[in-house]
Amino acid sequence: VVLGSFGFVLRFQEAKLKAASDREKTALRLQLDTELKLKAESALSVAEKLKADAMPRVLTSEQRKLLTAVATLHPEQRFEVVEYGLSKEATNFANDIAGALVSGGWKCKTNGIMTGVEQRKGVLVFIPKKDTTNGAAAALTAALREGGIETSYSWDDGFLPVTLEQGVMGLFVGPK
């Protein structure tokens, strides 16, 4: 009788061990599935980023509305557009931004393509050093950033290849 109950206990422990082993296998499968899913999502994210990097920048309708609204709040602002290098994409994006600002009442003078200068990524809003309190330039910079466009703000410190007139804002557009 004692041996019979021991056999039952032994079979119960073996079943428990087997069940634990199955749980461990299930946990391992779940862990591997999770790792594979994360790797697949990471690869997809990299692929999406590469695809986005290959696409030209174009203002969305929301970005366009935001820039036009900023221009409307600062009427009659004059600005020059300068594109870095020979990037058709940067030229088209600069024209897109300029179009939104002109729609809001700003006056645009296109300076043309700059070559032989440091390639800055994104957009640079700059003003003559004497105009350090240009509210329109600060508002434009904030709007571009709010719209998700990589933007920096500076004043003409003498190192820029363009000299701006008093009251004229510069808009450099570089490659992505």
Side-chain angles (χ1 to χ4, degrees):
V1 173
V2 173
L3 190 56
S5 67
F6 178 72
F8 173 77
V9 170
L10 185 58
R11 281 190 302 256
F12 177 74
Q13 290 296 338
E14 287 174 349
K16 189 175 172 184
L17 182 60
K18 184 178 181 198
S21 178
D22 287 344
R23 280 191 294 244
E24 288 174 357
K25 288 179 188 175
T26 300
L28 184 57
R29 274 191 209 107
L30 286 173
Q31 182 181 1
L32 289 174
D33 286 348
T34 301
E35 288 175 12
L36 287 173
K37 184 179 177 186
L38 289 173
K39 286 181 182 180
E41 288 173 355
S42 176
L44 183 60
S45 175
V46 168
E48 287 173 349
K49 182 172 178 357
L50 289 172
K51 184 178 177 183
D53 286 348
M55 298 296 293
R57 293 170 291 180
V58 178
L59 290 179
T60 65
S61 60
E62 293 82 19
Q63 291 168 327
R64 186 177 307 284
K65 287 176 188 173
L66 184 61
L67 296 180
T68 300
V70 165
T72 303
L73 292 173
H74 299 273
E76 302 297 318
Q77 174 66 47
R78 295 178 300 141
F79 69 102
E80 288 190 32
V81 178
V82 181
E83 306 96 45
Y84 282 118
L86 299 173
S87 168
K88 183 175 179 161
E89 186 276 335
T91 300
N92 290 339
F93 191 53
N95 288 333
D96 207 14
I97 293 171
L101 298 173
V102 169
S103 293
W106 284 15
K107 308 294 182 209
C108 177
K109 173 185 175 187
T110 301
N111 193 30
I113 297 172
M114 296 299 300
T115 55
V117 295
E118 176 188 345
Q119 294 276 329
R120 292 182 192 242
K121 288 183 127 190
V123 177
L124 168 65
V125 176
F126 70 101
I127 57 174
K129 195 165 190 157
K130 295 175 185 173
D131 290 346
T132 55
T133 59
N134 188 318
L140 175 60
T141 302
L144 288 164
R145 288 177 179 164
E146 183 180 328
I149 298 168
E150 183 180 347
T151 307
S152 51
Y153 177 77
S154 184
W155 61 87
D156 181 1
D157 54 10
F159 292 103
L160 294 170
V162 174
T163 302
L164 298 173
E165 299 172 25
Q166 186 82 14
V168 176
M169 177 190 323
L171 186 65
F172 275 98
V173 179
K176 288 170 79 170

